[in-house]
Amino acid sequence: MEEGNYEMLFVINKYRFLTRTPEDTIEVMREIESACGMKFTGIVNNSNLGDETTSETVHDSMEYASVVCEKTGLELYFTSVRRDLAEDVSQKNKLDVFPMDIYVKQT
């Protein structure tokens, strides 16, 4: 593979303990880049609260994702959202979303 010819997306979640603010998120991002010796090329907003996620949960993460992108100079590739919320989130935020189905294996 040609050097520098890759995509490495940083998946962010405003609701995780270590990444609740853009500044904390960027700190974690830089630590990962340092550890692997590669730079991220884009951002994916996957802010969620699991089963408790609502359209508002996702909506409330959009400013956070925007600030992370602005401060890093990276593009927001998409916002992932549970499929049953995708249409509502897309309409409220006027953006394309990546609808996801969630499968949990019970042990």
Side-chain angles (χ1 to χ4, degrees):
M1 179 166 79
E2 183 182 321
E3 187 173 328
N5 185 20
Y6 68 94
E7 293 282 340
M8 188 164 93
L9 305 179
F10 187 55
V11 180
I12 62 175
N13 184 345
K14 173 183 177 175
Y15 304 105
R16 287 194 181 263
F17 178 71
L18 295 176
T19 58
R20 290 190 176 150
T21 68
E23 294 75 22
D24 290 344
T25 300
I26 294 168
E27 184 177 335
V28 169
M29 180 179 140
R30 298 297 183 220
E31 289 172 3
I32 295 169
E33 288 177 332
S34 178
C36 73
M38 297 174 72
K39 295 286 187 186
F40 286 101
T41 60
I43 304 289
V44 171
N45 181 18
N46 185 43
S47 295
N48 71 86
L49 292 168
D51 291 340
E52 297 176 24
T53 304
T54 65
S55 295
E56 285 303 311
T57 305
V58 180
H59 173 75
D60 291 346
S61 74
M62 296 311 298
E63 177 65 23
Y64 155 86
S66 178
V67 171
V68 171
C69 290
E70 180 182 316
K71 289 185 176 221
T72 61
L74 296 176
E75 176 185 348
L76 178 65
Y77 276 46
F78 57 85
T79 295
S80 58
V81 63
R82 217 174 53 225
R83 187 172 304 280
D84 62 310
L85 302 174
E87 186 176 337
D88 189 44
V89 169
S90 178
Q91 289 176 357
K92 282 184 181 176
N93 294 286
K94 306 292 188 238
L95 59 91
D96 291 327
V97 299
F98 184 82
M100 297 179 65
D101 295 312
I102 300 172
Y103 300 96
V104 178
K105 181 179 179 181
Q106 302 295 325
T107 56

